[in-house]
């Protein structure tokens, strides 16, 4: 009977993937928002307990507050289609991921990022904080559902400043518009672009992306939260120019430090949404984010191997304004993934 019990109690752990035609995750969306699509397929097989959905890729728990497209660009140097993820409803890795209480957590993470971007761009986030409940809900649903038309209509009410498109103005003589001046529509043009930079460093050289070492720990990723300032005298300001501001150590002949300006996103997300109710709170948070720095030594011989934004590997000479105006995420941040080849450390 004991042997029979072992046989009947025996179980084989399975990893089940849905066919790629059934699930398409929006680039600008967030993985936990797929819960309503995925759970019906697995609910009948789940053991009793509280459902807390999370995903892993090759054993690496995926950070739920990073947009899906950014995760894909960051972790799949050689794009894997379909992207084979494992979904979990139990055993949440609380030591790796901050808590996620479902859609509500994702929503407030997005809104807080929007407030931070507004403060960086305009010096205040009043327009975001003063949104009506209906507009806020409609904006969030447009992000959830990937509805660009609705998003553009609602987000235009925020009157967040944009940068002049260098294709038509910044490279011409009529582009010398000072900060604080307005265009014909009365919209203030900003000189500060919110950027989230994700840098992963590899010591092994490679020629093909398929040979690139896999990211198996978040400790291998450096986060740089830093705005890019575009000055009125800058003509034809390019992606290359922006990267020199973001990571000057990769464009220097000296041994310098990478400054991960900004607290880790987990710390940013720990600010409850109800506490972010004034410009002063956001100002203190943003100021703290850009004063808190974590240094790691990078050699002057470091080499940028890959730059990816929204799945695109742009040329460095592309106008930065085009990148910002066309490739920013709905939170008004430009998310840039960079792979850097660094020299191997001597063991002696």
């Amino acid at each position: 009977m004991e042997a029979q019990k072992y046989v009947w109690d025996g179980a084989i752990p399975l990893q089940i993937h849905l066919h790629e035609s059934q699930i398409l995750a929006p680039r600008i969306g967030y993985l936990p928002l797929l819960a309503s699509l995925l759970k019906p397929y697995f609910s009948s097989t789940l053991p009793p307990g509280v459902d807390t959905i999370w995903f892993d890729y090759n054993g690496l728990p995926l950070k739920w507050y990073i947009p899906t497209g950014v995760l894909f660009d960051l972790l799949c140097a050689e794009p894997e289609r379909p992207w084979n993820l494992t979904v979990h409803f139990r055993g949440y890795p609380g030591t790796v991921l901050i808590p996620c209480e479902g859609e509500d957590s994702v929503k407030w993470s997005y809104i807080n990022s929007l407030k931070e971007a507004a403060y960086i761009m305009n010096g205040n986030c009043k327009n975001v904080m003063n949104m009506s409940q209906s507009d806020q809900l409609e904006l969030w649903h447009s992000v959830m559902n990937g509805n660009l038309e609705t998003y553009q209509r609602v987000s235009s009410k925020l009157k967040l400043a944009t940068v002049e498109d260098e294709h038509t103005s910044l490279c011409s003589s009529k582009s010398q518009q000072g900060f604080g001046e307005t265009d014909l529509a009365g919209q203030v043009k900003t000189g500060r672009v919110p950027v989230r930079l994700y840098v992963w460093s590899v010591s092994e050289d490679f020629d093909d992306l398929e040979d690139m070492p896999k990211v198996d720990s978040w400790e291998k990723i450096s986060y740089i939260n830093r705005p890019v300032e575009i000055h009125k005298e800058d003509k034809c300001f390019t992606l290359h120019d922006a990267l020199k501001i973001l990571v000057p150590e990769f464009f220097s002949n000296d041994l310098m430090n990478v400054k991960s300006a900004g607290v880790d996103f987990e710390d940013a997300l720990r600010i409850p949404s109800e506490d972010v109710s004034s410009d002063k709170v956001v100002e203190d948070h943003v100021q703290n984010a850009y004063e808190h720095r974590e240094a790691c030594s990078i050699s002057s011989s470091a080499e940028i191997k890959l730059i990816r934004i929204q799945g695109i590997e742009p040329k460095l000479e592309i106008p930065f304004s085009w990148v910002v105006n066309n490739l920013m995420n709905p939170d008004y941040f430009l998310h840039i993934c960079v792979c850097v080849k660094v020299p191997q450390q001597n063991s002696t």
Side-chain angles (χ1 to χ4, degrees):
M1 290 296 295
E2 186 176 357
Q4 274 191 320
K5 187 175 185 302
Y6 274 115
V7 171
W8 281 69
D9 287 345
I12 300 172
L14 301 177
Q15 181 171 303
I16 309 292
H17 299 284
L18 296 174
H19 190 272
E20 64 267 25
S21 64
Q22 293 179 292
I23 297 292
L24 290 175
R27 268 193 157 272
I28 53 94
Y30 302 85
L31 288 176
L33 301 181
L34 299 176
S36 61
L37 295 175
L38 294 173
K39 190 174 178 181
Y41 291 96
F42 303 106
S43 57
S44 62
T45 63
L46 293 177
V50 178
D51 295 337
T52 303
I53 192 171
W54 60 282
F55 298 80
D56 82 62
Y57 175 57
N58 291 337
L60 178 68
L62 300 181
K63 298 195 173 186
W64 57 265
Y65 50 84
I66 298 179
T68 304
V70 178
L71 288 171
F72 184 68
D73 291 345
L74 188 63
L75 301 177
C76 290
E78 180 68 24
E80 178 183 316
R81 299 184 181 92
W83 193 18
N84 291 303
L85 303 183
T86 301
V87 60
H88 303 257
F89 295 90
R90 302 287 190 274
Y92 193 81
T95 58
V96 180
L97 305 179
I98 63 173
C100 178
E101 304 299 330
E103 179 188 328
D104 206 45
S105 293
V106 184
K107 173 186 174 182
W108 286 115
S109 168
Y110 165 74
I111 294 296
N112 284 337
S113 288
L114 192 61
K115 291 174 182 177
E116 184 182 348
Y119 185 86
I120 292 170
M121 298 171 77
N122 288 353
N124 68 77
C125 55
K126 290 183 174 65
N127 289 345
V128 178
M129 293 189 296
N130 294 335
M131 288 181 71
S132 67
Q133 287 295 318
S134 59
D135 279 349
Q136 188 181 99
L137 192 60
E138 194 171 14
L139 181 68
W140 172 239
H141 284 166
S142 73
V143 175
M144 282 184 62
N145 301 322
N147 190 323
L148 177 60
E149 183 178 349
T150 301
Y151 170 79
Q152 290 177 329
R153 176 175 55 80
V154 180
S155 64
S156 66
K157 299 179 183 181
L158 298 177
K159 301 186 184 304
L160 293 180
T162 57
V163 293
E164 289 279 6
D165 193 333
E166 294 173 4
H167 277 118
T168 58
S169 60
L170 289 186
C171 290
S172 65
S173 59
K174 66 179 181 180
S175 67
Q176 303 306 304
Q177 183 177 17
F179 291 157
E181 297 182 25
T182 59
D183 64 5
L184 295 178
Q187 185 179 37
V188 177
K189 299 302 179 184
T190 186
R192 291 165 63 86
V193 177
V195 175
R196 297 204 198 281
L197 192 72
Y198 310 78
V199 181
W200 76 102
S201 303
V202 297
S203 56
E204 302 90 344
D205 202 4
F206 59 92
D207 295 320
D208 298 321
L209 292 180
E210 61 183 13
D211 298 326
M212 180 177 165
K214 303 295 183 185
V215 177
D216 55 11
S217 170
W218 286 108
E219 294 181 356
K220 295 183 178 180
I221 305 295
S222 298
Y223 304 97
I224 298 177
N225 240 14
R226 184 180 295 162
V228 172
E229 294 193 8
I230 303 177
H231 300 284
K232 63 182 181 180
E233 63 271 15
D234 291 335
K235 295 183 179 180
C236 296
F237 189 83
T238 65
L239 177 60
H240 179 269
D241 297 322
L243 287 172
K244 285 198 295 185
I245 293 174
L246 291 166
V247 281
E249 55 279 357
F250 298 152
F251 300 89
S252 171
N253 293 323
D254 302 321
L255 183 67
M256 301 182 66
N257 286 329
V258 173
K259 300 293 187 179
S260 296
V263 294
D264 197 295
F265 297 156
E266 284 93 339
D267 293 329
L269 292 171
R270 287 195 180 101
I271 299 179
S273 58
E274 58 269 20
D275 289 346
V276 188
S277 55
S278 69
D279 276 350
K280 185 63 170 65
V281 173
V282 178
E283 179 181 3
D284 291 345
H285 170 54
V286 173
Q287 187 66 27
N288 179 59
Y290 295 113
E291 287 180 353
H292 180 85
R293 298 175 182 268
E294 176 184 357
C296 59
S297 184
I298 294 291
S299 169
S300 60
S301 57
E303 175 189 1
I304 294 180
K305 300 288 288 187
L306 177 68
I307 298 172
R308 193 171 283 164
I309 308 171
Q310 298 289 18
I312 298 171
E313 296 171 20
K315 295 181 178 180
L316 289 179
E317 58 267 26
I318 190 172
F320 187 60
S321 61
W322 186 95
V323 176
V324 174
N325 292 332
N326 292 279
L327 302 182
M328 72 176 180
N329 270 63
D331 60 1
Y332 276 83
F333 271 90
L334 182 66
H335 297 256
I336 305 176
C337 298
V338 178
C339 174
V340 178
K341 163 68 169 59
V342 297
Q344 291 186 346
Q345 297 290 332
N346 293 328
S347 58
T348 58

